[in-house]
Amino acid sequence: MTDSDIREVLVRATSDLAPPADLLARVRNGGRRRVVRRRAVLAAGVAGLAAVPFAVWRGTSAVEPEPPAAGDLGQDQAFLGRARDAWDGVAGMFGTEGRARVRWAGNTPAGPAALLSQPVRFDGGERQDLLGWVETAGGELRAVGSGQLVARGAVEPSALLLGRLRDVLVVADLGQPVELSEDFSFDAVGQLLRTWQPVVSDGGVSVRRVFPQLGRVGIAMRYGTKRVEIANLGEMQPATTSQVPQRIDRVLAGATALGGWDVTALAKYADTYGYQLNPDLTSWHVRGTLPDGRALVVQTVPGDDGARVFFFVGSGTPRYAGFVRPPGLLLHVRLAFPQGVVVGYLNATFRYRAAGGPWLPVTGDVVLLPAVADEVEVTPRGGQPFVTVV
């Protein structure tokens, strides 16, 4: 079919249609308006660029200028670049958005360190910021393996313990009032004693020497009613393969009245803002009834260097039974005469005697013995028996 044939077919198909007289003018005007609109959009885009003169354009995305980092290395671009490179190993586990911001970079007695924040986005679309640290280890910068997720644009205080002895404390308060307690003790009734002092920072970060925190972390930090997290605390904790439960709950045979008391629920007895290196230490919580019908609770509160032992008799007021060093599976508490002696050992069997008399067997791995008992033979499951004085 030729062009003439096609034209003739089209004419016949549209012979009954009458175009408006102004059709040509309207087509020309419509095209002119589209051109004008396109030029207006382009002009608005140029004006927008002029309104943000400091944006750095890379491809089709803009990166806002980064505020300068605080600290004596905050202007060292080579160090900031190395800090970001080290940080990428942690941030890469998330869906990152944009470049990490170095909030602080500085020298410490244990080598340079830096605090960074990174916008991240999760699969569900939720956006948060990841806060984390870079430290010096073996002469190289490396990211601390634990980051802190906060609301987008928010900051929360955090800290590091650096050095071979973990005696260099770096605290980022980021403008929030942080308090530090350098150690703790217990009073005559087993309550925790701490002295607090404000942390004074330079540029939102404080670097100070503390007592070595190896094997036991005595410091505590708080802001408001929250604990300041130590980002590398997990690296200081021992690996454990213990199959022993963290809390052993037992009810004494023949119990009729059961108290629900727990000393760790009392503010003056719990170390709310402190840190425990070994989170798997075993605690006991034993409930029962004394021969006179009063409810009894025996409880241990373990720490890295020992355990406090408490008991309740007839009320929710704790009585301190002393400090056991180191904490272990063996429990024995002598109550006021003639209430008796509570002895426990996970999955063990017992015999007891008084004043060198015959050994008498008892049932259960936690027992209430008569007050006259002064020696207990403990036979752990699959282990050798041993004798302890109670």
Side-chain angles (χ1 to χ4, degrees):
M1 181 178 289
T2 65
D3 291 344
S4 299
D5 294 333
I6 295 173
R7 187 179 299 109
E8 183 179 350
V9 170
L10 291 175
V11 168
R12 288 200 304 267
T14 60
S15 59
D16 59 334
L17 299 178
D22 62 343
L23 174 61
L24 181 60
R26 285 165 56 188
V27 169
R28 288 172 175 169
N29 289 337
R32 188 177 299 112
R33 283 196 297 270
R34 283 192 294 273
V35 171
V36 171
R37 280 200 300 270
R38 187 178 300 114
R39 289 173 178 170
V41 170
L42 291 174
V46 173
L49 288 178
V52 192
F54 299 108
V56 179
W57 286 84
R58 297 196 178 107
T60 59
S61 63
V63 179
E64 292 297 332
E66 180 177 315
D72 58 0
L73 293 176
Q75 303 301 317
D76 187 333
Q77 297 302 316
F79 176 79
L80 299 184
R82 288 166 48 218
R84 287 193 185 91
D85 289 343
W87 168 252
D88 284 344
V90 171
M93 296 184 294
F94 297 84
T96 59
E97 295 186 328
R99 189 171 70 156
R101 172 187 170 186
V102 181
R103 292 182 171 272
W104 177 87
N107 287 295
T108 81
L115 175 67
L116 300 94
S117 65
Q118 173 79 55
V120 295
R121 180 177 181 176
F122 297 94
D123 291 341
E126 181 184 4
R127 288 178 166 89
Q128 289 186 289
D129 283 345
L130 179 68
L131 301 179
W133 292 87
V134 170
E135 65 177 346
T136 300
E140 299 291 334
L141 282 178
R142 69 176 184 89
V144 174
S146 175
Q148 188 174 2
L149 287 170
V150 299
R152 181 63 61 90
V155 291
E156 290 191 17
S158 63
L160 280 179
L161 277 169
L162 301 178
R164 184 176 58 85
L165 300 178
R166 302 296 185 182
D167 59 348
V168 176
L169 176 63
V170 184
V171 183
D173 61 57
L174 302 176
Q176 302 190 53
V178 170
E179 292 182 297
L180 167 69
S181 169
E182 296 208 21
D183 209 345
F184 65 91
S185 60
F186 304 113
D187 65 12
V189 295
Q191 293 181 346
L192 186 79
L193 299 177
R194 283 193 178 276
T195 301
W196 296 92
Q197 57 183 315
V199 173
V200 179
S201 67
D202 180 12
V205 176
S206 167
V207 180
R208 66 165 67 199
R209 288 277 192 182
V210 293
F211 292 110
Q213 306 290 305
L214 293 177
R216 170 186 180 273
V217 177
I219 65 171
M221 290 174 287
R222 67 186 183 187
Y223 63 107
T225 59
K226 296 183 179 180
R227 185 178 76 166
V228 177
E229 298 301 327
I230 298 176
N232 60 341
L233 186 69
E235 299 175 6
M236 303 164 57
Q237 294 175 331
T240 178
T241 57
S242 174
Q243 301 301 311
V244 179
Q246 287 184 274
R247 171 165 156 157
I248 303 174
D249 283 281
R250 290 291 186 270
V251 176
L252 292 170
T256 57
L258 300 178
W261 308 304
D262 186 341
V263 73
T264 61
L266 305 176
K268 294 183 179 180
Y269 295 87
D271 193 9
T272 306
Y273 304 108
Y275 312 92
Q276 188 164 302
L277 286 182
N278 190 344
D280 296 322
L281 295 174
T282 299
S283 65
W284 286 89
H285 195 269
V286 180
R287 297 177 295 157
T289 303
L290 292 175
D292 61 11
R294 287 182 295 170
L296 168 69
V297 170
V298 176
Q299 181 179 9
T300 63
V301 181
D304 290 320
D305 55 351
R308 287 173 289 164
V309 184
F310 298 90
F311 64 93
F312 301 78
V313 174
S315 74
T317 301
R319 305 186 190 185
Y320 188 40
F323 191 77
V324 179
R325 192 191 305 269
L329 293 181
L330 178 63
L331 168 72
H332 65 84
V333 180
R334 179 167 289 277
L335 308 174
F337 189 85
Q339 296 166 359
V341 183
V342 175
V343 179
Y345 195 100
L346 182 64
N347 298 326
T349 58
F350 300 107
R351 296 193 304 171
Y352 77 94
R353 67 182 179 181
W359 288 103
L360 302 173
V362 287
T363 302
D365 63 357
V366 178
V367 293
L368 174 60
L369 303 178
V372 295
D374 54 18
E375 286 184 292
V376 174
E377 180 190 73
V378 184
T379 304
R381 178 185 294 176
Q384 295 297 314
F386 62 92
V387 175
T388 183
V389 176
V390 294

